[in-house]
Amino acid sequence: QRLATSNDPHLLNYLSKRRVSPSFLVEIDLFLSAHPEIIEHAPKFVEEFNSAAPLQAYRHFLKGYTKPARYITGVIPDGDFFLTANFSPPQLVSAYDEELVAFFQDYDYRYDILERIDNEVLHACQALDVGTLLPRRLRRLVAYVIFGNPVDAYKYYEYNFQTEWLPHRYLPEHVVLSEIPKPEDYVEPEPTVMGSFRDGKPDGQRDHHFTRLRMARAKDQGV
């Protein structure tokens, strides 16, 4: 089924409450149509997705989607933003989000990772309080925690921000793309350029952090 053309009032009302843009449904439809191999290799997922009501199908899809939802324009600031003096960010470790609960269903609820996010964001807010400019990725994480939903803050941190734990072992069981076999001539992508605008050292002298980050991104392209 296609979510974007369903015009289901329950789904649209749910998106509105979470400040998620209806265009996110188009993104989901395009993602699924771009991977027809899912039909052959993950028939259970397809059956459950197609047989469910649009809202339930949407929620089912999100359990295996590691990108944050696409919000209504302006909800998540793209550029710099300012906070009140001594601003205290919300604590994810004590927040309740039904989508985050569903994401961890049948797995350990990762309080340890949520605590790490809380600490990262708290220190970032303290830096903002004294006028420090944050790197774009850290600023984005802070924005998801303050203005977005907890599940999207978690997904952004775990799958787009942190670089210490690259295998991403805490994916739900029906991340169906992992079930699709690679072609016989498939080879893992290898990064051809190790430098970046933040790491301008000559070849052979790269900082460990940036080398790991770029290798992880190259690896993820083949996942």
Side-chain angles (χ1 to χ4, degrees):
Q1 66 172 309
R2 291 187 175 273
L3 299 179
T5 56
S6 68
N7 293 319
D8 182 75
H10 300 290
L11 175 56
L12 295 176
N13 184 56
Y14 180 80
L15 296 182
S16 177
K17 288 181 178 179
R18 295 182 67 85
R19 295 168 296 168
V20 173
S21 172
S23 66
F24 184 49
L25 302 180
V26 177
E27 184 176 319
I28 294 174
D29 289 342
L30 290 175
F31 176 86
L32 292 175
S33 62
H35 295 283
E37 61 271 26
I38 292 176
I39 298 175
E40 177 183 356
H41 297 287
K44 182 179 179 181
F45 168 83
V46 175
E47 179 182 358
E48 293 182 7
F49 181 84
N50 284 338
S51 62
L55 175 56
Q56 283 67 43
Y58 171 80
R59 293 283 302 271
H60 183 66
F61 174 85
L62 289 185
K63 285 190 64 178
Y65 197 59
T66 57
K67 292 183 179 180
R70 186 175 300 281
Y71 285 76
I72 296 170
T73 301
V75 172
I76 305 295
D78 282 331
D80 293 330
F81 55 87
F82 301 94
L83 305 174
T84 58
N86 300 315
F87 177 82
S88 180
Q91 297 285 299
L92 294 186
V93 73
S94 58
Y96 175 78
D97 181 358
E98 56 185 328
E99 285 189 12
L100 186 59
V101 172
F103 191 76
F104 287 131
Q105 186 177 354
D106 301 324
Y107 293 83
D108 292 336
Y109 197 90
R110 297 310 305 268
Y111 288 106
D112 56 330
I113 297 178
L114 296 176
E115 287 178 355
R116 292 179 63 179
I117 299 173
D118 287 341
N119 290 333
E120 190 94 40
V121 171
L122 177 61
H123 293 151
C125 288
Q126 291 171 344
L128 283 173
D129 197 37
V130 296
T132 303
L133 294 178
L134 302 180
R136 183 182 183 279
R137 292 171 60 249
L138 179 55
R139 188 174 67 241
R140 191 74 170 173
L141 175 64
V142 173
Y144 273 120
V145 170
I146 296 176
F147 305 108
N149 297 304
V151 67
D152 295 315
Y154 176 86
K155 287 181 178 181
Y156 182 79
Y157 177 85
E158 181 68 359
Y159 306 110
N160 298 273
F161 182 83
Q162 64 90 19
T163 57
E164 296 179 18
W165 183 245
L166 302 178
H168 307 324
R169 295 180 59 184
Y170 304 106
L171 298 180
E173 288 180 344
H174 64 261
V175 177
V176 295
L177 294 186
S178 64
E179 301 176 16
I180 298 172
K182 300 290 191 299
E184 292 184 2
D185 59 349
Y186 175 81
V187 293
E188 295 285 357
E190 295 290 341
T192 57
V193 179
M194 297 300 293
S196 73
F197 71 95
R198 295 176 59 193
D199 180 28
K201 296 181 180 179
D203 289 336
Q205 300 181 29
R206 302 298 175 203
D207 286 343
H208 175 76
H209 171 80
F210 292 105
T211 300
R212 290 279 290 166
L213 176 61
R214 295 182 71 84
M215 290 182 69
R217 287 176 176 170
K219 176 82 171 179
D220 286 347
Q221 291 174 6
V223 174

